[in-house]
Amino acid sequence: MQIAAIKRILFLFAFISVWANVYSQNHAVINADLGQTKINKNIYGHFAEHLGNCIYGGFYVGDTNKVIPNTNGVRNDIIEALKKLKVPNLRWPGGCFADTYHWKDGVGPKDKRPAIVNRWWGGVTEDNSFGTHDFLNMCELIGAEPYLSGNVGSGTVQELSDWVQYVNGKANTSPMSKWRVQNGRNEPWNVGIWGVGNEAWGCGGNMKPEYYANIYRQYATYMADWSNSENRFRVASGASDGDYNWTEVLMRDIPHGMMEGLAMHHYSTVKWSQKGSATDFSEQQYFATMKSAWLMEEFVSRHSTIMDKYDPAKRVALVVDEWGGWYEVEPGTNPGFLFQQNTIRDAMIAGVTLNVFNNHCDRVRMANLAQTVNVLQAVVLTNNEKMILTPTYHVMEMYNVHQDATMLPVNLKSDDYVFGNEKLPAVSVSASKDKNGVTHISLVNIDASKPQSVSIDLRGITATAVSGRILTSKKLQDYNSFEQPGKIQPVVFKDAKISGGTLQVQLPPFSVVVLTLK
């Protein structure tokens, strides 16, 4: 009997050990009664640069196109897709392109607009047929607030000041507003968000932070728009990744009241010298990419700490206006066009990154995924009349329930995703309560092979029912193609249960889940 009992005990321990290896235990506490800060909808912004086929052949097919349904040259299918995504703001015309772009070349009769060479992206000819009117009118169709990136690198103070007057001045009250009326737009667009240069430390002029801080002060002074001053939101060109000195100098040297936002850029990649394929990658490359994606938590936290020193009231927003995955271009495409496919790996990057932004919404109040169509981590890909939605699109659509909702503080103890001698948090979580009192929880399991069991204590939440959707696939390398456009899309999620104030969730490997509690 003793031997038999010992065997049973050993079997039980073995069973528990196997179960534990399959379903790890992650624990979180959501303090719904402590929620105070709004998740600004602008965290879910997007980016449209004159790069590759983002604008031409992407958004814009020309107003004489009879094959692809369009409104004034902008694809109708993209308009509808982005409306469903609830895109809150759209950044244009760059990127690096912005500091070579002269906006006056892109207004007036299209047949009289001068052509230029896009020196940054492929050396192609830019005919300026898509300009200020086209972009701002497109934003109205989408329902997105425009974010104009001004030319500081090769432009002038007068040029940027004129642009402000052109788009925001009341009809016929200045030479610029009169010119706008002559070009077919009577009412101003009232653009509030303005980037004062882009990547001034690099393609925007290779400046030192002290020099750029002075340049910024000069440009910001002449961007006066008294009729739209309450809506004015000027974004300074901020740091790359962990360049904390850049943030320190700008926060120190730019006076209070002259800057509403400070930018920061971070791309998730294996390594810059060997980015690897967007679709043919190993688990080692996947782990390296997710390690880079998780750096967003560190960068946001440390830049915020510096900003807190100079701005404890958090008047200046941290604006992550370029983020996303960056890989080698698809074989056979122009290297300067940055066209890459979009897999479940990109869904993991999006889910983790957006959770970071949600949880830091006291300081991060705007962000822009790079980029919207056909470039880098795009949400939409096009091929002539065909259009597909990527896994990243679906994550952004699932997460839009957090827009302008109240962030609920989450304390999470995550198990590790282990690869070789390295480890990362396997689980990422953020939560919010919308204006109707409905709670939403977004969860990500980045582990490439291991499910994760998550136990969540719901404090201050009286919900008794839970529903949700999940985005995953059979392989990390899976993607939507023009032949299989619906291979990856959200489906109903059923592995979540509420009992006695505790939410139990079973997350499959490499999955994104958004839950609704009522």
Side-chain angles (χ1 to χ4, degrees):
M1 291 293 293
Q2 283 186 326
I3 295 175
I6 291 172
K7 286 183 176 180
R8 285 197 295 271
I9 292 171
L10 290 174
F11 174 80
L12 180 60
F13 276 118
F15 176 81
I16 292 173
S17 177
V18 170
W19 186 90
N21 284 330
V22 174
Y23 287 107
S24 302
Q25 184 66 50
N26 306 270
H27 184 257
V29 176
I30 296 179
N31 294 293
D33 52 342
L34 299 180
Q36 295 181 338
T37 308
K38 183 174 73 172
I39 298 173
N40 195 307
K41 66 180 181 179
N42 283 319
I43 284 173
Y44 292 82
H46 291 258
F47 178 25
E49 184 170 2
H50 284 240
L51 197 173
N53 292 316
C54 182
I55 300 298
Y56 302 105
F59 278 105
Y60 189 71
V61 293
D63 51 14
T64 61
N65 193 301
K66 304 299 183 184
V67 177
I68 300 173
N70 66 85
T71 300
N72 297 324
V74 179
R75 294 179 65 125
N76 291 341
D77 51 5
I78 288 183
I79 292 172
E80 292 307 310
L82 297 185
K83 286 170 65 176
K84 182 179 179 182
L85 206 56
K86 298 181 181 179
V87 172
N89 72 82
L90 187 60
R91 182 176 182 241
W92 176 87
C96 291
F97 181 80
D99 281 296
T100 63
Y101 181 68
H102 300 282
W103 70 269
K104 292 178 182 180
D105 292 343
V107 299
K110 291 182 186 291
D111 60 352
K112 295 183 180 179
R113 298 179 188 179
I116 63 170
V117 174
N118 190 333
R119 63 183 298 269
W120 284 111
W121 305 119
V124 296
T125 298
E126 158 73 56
D127 68 1
N128 279 308
S129 59
F130 186 91
T132 296
H133 287 250
D134 305 278
F135 173 72
L136 296 179
N137 291 340
M138 181 179 76
C139 286
E140 290 183 336
L141 292 171
I142 295 169
E145 188 173 358
Y147 172 9
L148 293 179
S149 186
N151 182 348
V152 171
S154 67
T156 65
V157 173
Q158 182 70 54
E159 184 178 10
L160 185 52
S161 177
D162 283 350
W163 205 10
V164 174
Q165 289 299 320
Y166 186 90
V167 302
N168 287 352
K170 292 182 180 179
N172 298 313
T173 58
S174 70
M176 289 298 105
S177 64
K178 287 181 181 179
W179 191 23
R180 183 192 71 231
V181 172
Q182 292 171 9
N183 288 330
R185 173 80 181 198
N186 189 63
E187 295 300 317
W189 288 282
N190 294 322
V191 176
I193 309 173
W194 294 84
V196 185
N198 167 77
E199 294 188 355
W201 42 263
C203 64
N206 282 305
M207 303 177 192
K208 293 181 178 180
E210 292 82 2
Y211 181 80
Y212 172 72
N214 285 334
I215 290 291
Y216 175 90
R217 292 166 62 143
Q218 180 185 13
Y219 274 76
T221 298
Y222 288 93
M223 291 176 69
D225 175 20
W226 306 115
S227 63
N228 197 40
S229 59
E230 292 184 1
N231 192 39
R232 184 175 57 205
F233 191 90
R234 294 160 297 186
V235 182
S237 173
S240 172
D241 301 316
D243 185 353
Y244 304 116
N245 179 61
W246 188 278
T247 297
E248 181 89 32
V249 171
L250 266 58
M251 291 300 297
R252 183 194 70 203
D253 291 359
I254 297 176
H256 169 70
M258 290 193 75
M259 173 176 65
E260 288 72 42
L262 177 60
M264 191 270 283
H265 293 175
H266 172 60
Y267 287 96
S268 304
T269 188
V270 177
K271 60 171 65 174
W272 284 107
S273 59
Q274 295 176 324
K275 301 182 187 71
S277 168
T279 58
D280 184 16
F281 54 88
S282 65
E283 185 177 353
Q284 180 180 14
Q285 291 171 309
Y286 167 70
F287 187 92
T289 306
M290 294 313 302
K291 182 179 178 180
S292 180
W294 260 119
L295 281 173
M296 187 66 81
E297 172 71 32
E298 176 183 333
F299 293 152
V300 165
S301 297
R302 293 191 176 186
H303 284 291
S304 295
T305 298
I306 296 168
M307 296 174 76
D308 288 346
K309 181 171 70 171
Y310 296 94
D311 176 34
K314 301 183 187 295
R315 295 184 179 90
V316 179
L318 180 58
V319 178
V320 189
D321 56 13
E322 288 188 30
W323 68 271
W326 194 321
Y327 320 113
E328 303 294 350
V329 303
E330 293 303 300
T333 64
N334 188 323
F337 283 9
L338 304 186
F339 176 77
Q340 61 189 41
Q341 252 296 352
N342 198 286
T343 68
I344 285 292
R345 172 172 63 172
D346 297 288
M348 300 300 104
I349 293 173
V352 166
T353 303
L354 292 172
N355 282 342
V356 170
F357 295 161
N358 288 347
N359 291 329
H360 288 274
C361 62
D362 60 333
R363 183 62 80 175
V364 180
R365 298 198 288 276
M366 190 163 76
N368 300 80
L369 174 68
Q371 293 186 10
T372 315
V373 185
N374 292 331
V375 173
L376 298 176
Q377 193 173 337
V379 294
V380 171
L381 300 179
T382 65
N383 181 8
N384 297 320
E385 73 278 6
K386 297 180 180 179
M387 186 200 79
I388 58 174
L389 306 178
T390 69
T392 299
Y393 175 95
H394 293 305
V395 173
M396 298 289 282
E397 186 273 325
M398 292 166 68
Y399 272 53
N400 68 26
V401 293
H402 293 302
Q403 292 187 16
D404 282 344
T406 300
M407 185 271 286
L408 304 182
V410 179
N411 295 318
L412 170 66
K413 184 180 183 300
S414 172
D415 282 340
D416 296 325
Y417 167 33
V418 180
F419 185 83
N421 297 321
E422 295 188 280
K423 60 184 180 181
L424 294 169
V427 175
S428 167
V429 181
S430 69
S432 69
K433 181 181 290 186
D434 66 20
K435 63 182 180 181
N436 297 316
V438 178
T439 297
H440 295 98
I441 305 173
S442 49
L443 306 101
V444 184
N445 174 19
I446 68 169
D447 200 299
S449 58
K450 194 175 179 181
Q452 299 290 333
S453 176
V454 186
S455 176
I456 304 176
D457 293 343
L458 304 174
R459 298 181 183 174
I461 300 174
T462 58
T464 58
V466 57
S467 59
R469 291 190 294 164
I470 183 172
L471 189 77
T472 188
S473 195
K474 292 181 179 179
K475 296 190 305 179
L476 274 166
Q477 295 80 4
D478 284 347
Y479 57 89
N480 289 335
S481 66
F482 293 103
E483 293 72 33
Q484 292 182 289
K487 183 174 183 177
I488 301 170
Q489 53 187 326
V491 297
V492 174
F493 179 70
K494 298 181 179 180
D495 287 333
K497 296 180 180 179
I498 296 178
S499 178
T502 300
L503 176 65
Q504 293 286 346
V505 187
Q506 307 294 342
L507 298 174
F510 51 89
S511 60
V512 178
V513 170
V514 176
L515 301 175
T516 300
L517 277 58
K518 294 183 178 179

